[in-house]
Amino acid sequence: RACVEIERVFRGHCGRERARAAREQRAATEESGVFQYYATVIQRAFKGYYSRKYVHDFFARKAYIESIKQKSEELRDQLSGHMEQQIEAEQDRAEAAARDEFKKVTQNLHHLLSTASTPGVYNPPYAQGMVPTAFNVPIEDHL
């Protein structure tokens, strides 16, 4: 009978020890959870502050955008000037090609010129004052 009583008291003691250990473990887990929550809150606040202060600086970004706008305006002006030069060069080439073509066509038409007694094809007597021109020069001067 004494053995049973000793075993009963010992089992109660072991149960109370396990319960106390479980209670301490649960309290430590809860306390760790609270500390982790507040650490997350503090880290979130600091990371937001640091990001706004150094990473995504509003004034630095504004200055950067302004510099980009200025560079793009300079580039746009430069490119428009270059385009105007190209257009002008193309017009000069087209005019030179037209003059060469006109010269080739009119090279062998000297027999159509006016003489002192006979008016030529390009100087008709009925068109007084209206002499046909090419490149602002009378056609008979080209021939």
Side-chain angles (χ1 to χ4, degrees):
R1 207 160 158 72
C3 276
V4 172
E5 187 68 22
I6 292 172
E7 285 178 359
R8 180 184 68 79
V9 169
F10 183 72
R11 280 195 300 263
H13 171 71
C14 287
R16 284 188 298 278
E17 285 295 316
R18 280 194 309 252
R20 184 185 56 78
R23 209 173 28 252
E24 286 176 358
Q25 178 65 31
R26 188 172 52 244
T29 303
E30 288 176 0
E31 186 179 10
S32 173
V34 169
F35 286 149
Q36 288 178 1
Y37 170 76
Y38 285 116
T40 303
V41 169
I42 292 170
Q43 288 173 356
R44 182 174 45 206
F46 178 77
K47 286 178 180 180
Y49 160 77
Y50 187 85
S51 174
R52 286 186 299 275
K53 179 79 173 172
Y54 298 107
V55 177
H56 299 293
D57 186 9
F58 172 77
F59 297 106
R61 177 175 280 175
K62 188 174 180 181
Y64 171 72
I65 290 173
E66 193 62 38
S67 72
I68 294 293
K69 284 168 62 176
Q70 182 181 5
K71 287 178 185 176
S72 66
E73 286 296 326
E74 291 172 2
L75 182 62
R76 185 176 291 126
D77 292 341
Q78 183 181 7
L79 289 176
S80 67
H82 183 65
M83 186 177 80
E84 288 173 4
Q85 288 176 352
Q86 283 183 331
I87 289 172
E88 191 174 307
E90 181 59 33
Q91 288 173 347
D92 290 345
R93 277 194 296 272
E95 185 176 341
R99 284 182 186 271
D100 288 345
E101 181 67 25
F102 184 75
K103 187 174 183 178
K104 286 179 186 178
V105 169
T106 60
Q107 214 167 21
N108 293 324
L109 298 179
H110 56 84
H111 60 281
L112 299 175
L113 283 174
S114 298
T115 60
S117 62
T118 308
V121 174
Y122 298 108
N123 193 10
Y126 54 85
Q128 297 297 324
M130 293 181 49
V131 177
T133 61
F135 305 110
N136 295 324
V137 178
I139 291 182
E140 287 201 355
D141 291 348
H142 285 290
L143 301 176

